[in-house]
Amino acid sequence: FPSHDTFADKLKTKVKIVDLHDVVPESIVTDQDATYFAKSQYHRDLYKHLPDSKFKIIGNGIKKDQFNEETSN
């Protein structure tokens, strides 16, 4: 990453949500005003410098129990 500044640092919004899909350097996950979506507890734990209150664990997959054999084609 060329700079520690990101486009989100300059945004003036009421809510900032950052959906982390990859492992990015800890040094650029620094926005104290943002809520971060991590894909697992392991993913969240990579950024220990931010409090748990800044993270939501949002899985990146499906729940098989949402489907049943009668409705699948």
Side-chain angles (χ1 to χ4, degrees):
F1 294 92
S3 169
H4 293 294
D5 292 332
T6 65
F7 73 94
D9 293 331
K10 295 170 181 55
L11 294 176
K12 292 183 177 22
T13 65
K14 291 182 181 179
V15 176
K16 288 184 192 178
I17 297 173
V18 179
D19 193 4
L20 297 169
H21 281 267
D22 297 311
V23 175
V24 296
E26 183 178 302
S27 62
I28 66 169
V29 180
T30 59
D31 191 336
Q32 292 290 327
D33 296 327
T35 296
Y36 293 90
F37 288 177
K39 301 304 168 215
S40 66
Q41 187 63 45
Y42 170 82
H43 195 206
R44 184 274 170 265
D45 289 344
L46 295 173
Y47 307 101
K48 293 185 182 292
H49 64 288
L50 291 173
D52 285 339
S53 63
K54 293 293 178 186
F55 282 86
K56 303 287 183 205
I57 307 298
I58 308 293
N60 194 24
I62 63 168
K63 294 181 182 178
K64 292 191 312 183
D65 60 341
Q66 290 178 326
F67 303 91
N68 64 42
E69 291 181 26
E70 294 175 8
T71 60
S72 62
N73 292 327

